[in-house]
Amino acid sequence: MLGRSVEVARFDALLDRAAGRARGTARGKESGDSGRSRLVDITGEAGIGKSRLLGEVCARARRRGMTVLRGRATEYERQVPFQVFTDALAHLDPHALNGFQETEAVAPLLQRSGTADRFGLHRSTAVLLTRLAAPSGLLLALDDLHWADPASLELLDHLVRHPVHAPVVLAVTRRDRQSPESLAARLTRELDTGTVVRLGLGPLSARDCAELAGPGLPPAETTALYTASEGNPFYFLTLLQAHRGGATPESSAPPGLGTLLLDELTALAPAQRGIVDAVAVLGEHATPAMVSRVTGRSGTEFTADVHALTRRDLLRFAPQGLLTLRHPVVRTLVHESTPLLRRVEIHRLAARELARAGASAAERAHHVAQSLTDWDPAAVAVLEEAAARTARTAPASCAHWLDVALRHLPHTPEHTARRRELVLSRARALAACGGLRESRDLLQELIATPRRSPGGPATGENQDRLRVRAVVLCALVERHLGRCTEAVALLRRELARDPAPADVVRLGLELGSAAPQDSGTSYAQVRTEVEVALAAARSLGDEVKEAGVLAVAALGEAYEGNMTAAHGLAREAAALVDSLPDNDLTALCEPLARLGWAEAFLEHYPDAERHAERGLDIARRSGQLYVVPHLLLCLSHVRVQTCRISSALELADQAEDIARGIGSDQLLAFVLASKAAALVAACPPGDPRPLAVAEEAVAAAGTGVDWWASTAWCIFGWAALMAGDPVRARDAMLRAGGPELQRIQPSMRPLYLEILVTAALVTGRSEEARGWAERARKEAEQLRLPMLRASALRSTAHLPLAQGDTAAAADLFAEAAAESARCGAVFWEAHSLLLGAPLEAAAGRGRDGTRAWLRGRRLAEAGGSGLLVGLADATRPPGDGSEAPYASPDRAELTLRLAGLTARELEIAELVAQGLTSQAIADRLHVSRRTVETHVSRAFRKTGVSSRTALATLMARRRAGSRWDGRAEQD
């Protein structure tokens, strides 16, 4: 490894640390080691020695006993999904996955069929790497990543943003100037976090090149070759080989690299050149058997030519018996110099041989696409099947296969319907992988296509249905592009065309979903259209569609603060949804998200969680990934309110992965705002992470004045206030709300007004604070929701506190805690208790203050809230308070709390206490898992606990017949 001693030493340290962690040695536990995986980014120009360094690192890792997996991305297979990871995992021991429960989820990486969505695959891949790292560490080496396919890059992005907590080292090589911008940006961003270590390889020195040339070459000739190569080892060795082959060293201008390599090819016999061409074209399918078939040669002559080419070091045998050219630069040159029609023929023969061997459509698609020059129904059918198979795991590849199919589909009337379906499928794939604008353009073109119905009325109806599907998808894409006004206008125009009742429902559902996000349209302005859609669903007798419209209507009314109407609509929707089987709800994933959010805004947290979890399960199984972030964020919101902070943050992280994959700035702004909210609750006071994520959220929202931007700015205000910057917090809230705060969601405004009250008081604007507090009180009274009323009470409590009336302030904080407890808003209950505890003591009610502090502290610790634990530490009573009396419910209260449980709920609660999962309970009782979860949610609500651990503790106290000391609410 001439000239690379520094880089090798850096790798040695990382490998020693990983191997040491795997064995539990002191070397692996040295200070500064976070225990997370690290990625080494090896960069440099072609031929600089990146692959050579990677090979040396792999050898050193093997000597340490580590598992080593090495894969290479290839230039002409950039649409083969997960190609570089598949190449790496091909080196796995056949028994390595025995007993691995998530094999199906990572099946696409193993060239097997599977049903996982791509984001589930990402998470399962991290689990797989953790498994493979035991017992001695893992090195995952990925070469030539600048050529990696989009699915592989997305997976790597996930692994970089979510390092696995295992002794894993990832090493990648790439060319700087050819790397995709997204890859380079991600690796650069993570340099500061320490997740990524960059090793930039430069040219070798003159001394290194002289040593490479050996003692037989005169110094003057070595210097000439070094100068011509500029220290690039691959170019230097190629020049050296040419020189030894008879090139004149006196030449003032040594030939270029391409010329040298072409000269090397001209010496080959035609049969040998044919083999070299086939290897260059076949890439990952260049087995000796495949090369033999596509060249039409076999037997001893073929074997002799392959051996001759390996002796020339033009061909090499790679792992798994593949033939490769000695360097990617050589492959590029050979591939580009092979006549086009010859390349097409090799791909055609390869596709035929793979089909004969039983390969899947996805495996054949690359060669079919490269060999397709004219309309071929059988070939296009392969591309369509490959697209269908990759739609969920690799939508970019799906869009590519469909694009090839569409380019060869004749523009004739008999193919019109098929073309429209393929265009719609391609638009959907593009929308899923970040191509939102291209998707919208395709959909607008599809919508504008004049109706043709040569097949009669039935064909015309089919075209109308497809048009409506395109309109609904286009409106969804417009929403993700932040163009809600355009989405609303598009839907209204389609409704004016007098569509069929079923289409009225589809359009009404989307219109009701889009309107609240449009700064110029309130739900009240589309209420009539939603009511018409509801009537249409009922006229069709379609309970599924009826439930969907009811859910959308419930959210619309809840958003606007019409809580009486929202309560009624949510109850109706929930009753229908709960009565329908999962298969019937496949088309209702987004309405299920709407219902979950409506119930969250109505503070029906167990119901919101139950419906969101059900929707999430259905959405993932049916591949409706665009809905998944909304369901995840609904759950995250509920778990922040109910103080299950670790889970809330994990859900927001999952939503972030999908939002970045979709490429919607508006959705990303919402996701990052939700993540920032979870981080505010999770992090101790003064931690910079919540504000940093909130800043990224408002940056993603841009200059928009829609709901997405308003939400992002509100959370930014909260993060700024908790970071100790009330001026910035106040400015953010006014930016979010606009004149009279009208842009802030009405049903959440009292909570956000609390930020303004606090910021105003801290900055000396007492009259402004009084005005905001009075507005919060009035709006909360109109909404009649406990958590929002608690927020208004906290806002009001600041006013007497500012005047020194601690008793009045303490009473208001205590009332706020009680209101929060009524609806299960545990986070705000603890927050109110901890704010009020020192005031109770100051008012001469020390015993009450100690009780409040102890309960608040217990709730904070159980929920994993660093913010509240920090607040508890700051308000700790004298003498720690740990021995102070605590108002614990006695046996009578315990009995009362359990008395409301039905026999079945009590039976299931006992099984929960035994540690059984929902599925295990379902199997034992011969009921569905959903039925078990419903009973568990009801038990939570009736007993006032918020976790399975808490319920188990409650049941244990019941069995023991002892006093319950309040600790059952700890998770």
Side-chain angles (χ1 to χ4, degrees), residues 861-922:
E861 289 181 337
S865 174
L867 175 69
L868 296 181
V869 170
L871 179 58
D873 290 342
T875 59
R876 183 185 300 274
D880 183 270
S882 58
E883 300 301 321
Y886 184 73
S888 302
D890 58 14
R891 178 69 179 169
E893 184 176 342
L894 174 61
T895 303
L896 183 63
R897 294 178 71 171
L898 295 173
L901 298 184
T902 65
R904 178 63 99 179
E905 288 163 358
L906 200 59
E907 180 183 23
I908 288 176
E910 285 286 2
L911 294 173
V912 167
Q914 294 174 26
L916 272 66
T917 65
S918 292
Q919 189 58 58
I921 295 171

Side-chain angles (χ1 to χ4, degrees), residues 555 558-561 563 597 601 670 707 710-711 714 736-737 741-752 779 783:
L555 178 59
Y559 176 92
E560 297 291 344
M563 294 309 181
W597 274 110
F601 293 147
F670 182 38
W707 174 80
S710 174
T711 301
C714 284
L741 304 184
Q742 291 305 308
R743 287 202 298 267
I744 293 180
Q745 181 177 333
S747 56
M748 293 292 285
R749 204 151 43 210
L751 184 65
Y752 292 138
E779 294 196 15
L783 294 168

Side-chain angles (χ1 to χ4, degrees), residues 334-365:
V334 172
H335 191 282
E336 296 305 313
S337 64
T338 302
L340 174 62
L341 293 181
R342 173 60 182 152
R343 293 203 304 264
V344 167
E345 179 64 10
I346 292 171
H347 282 299
R348 186 187 68 78
L349 292 170
R352 187 188 68 186
E353 292 301 324
L354 287 170
R356 183 184 301 173
S360 69
E363 289 181 81
R364 291 181 280 149

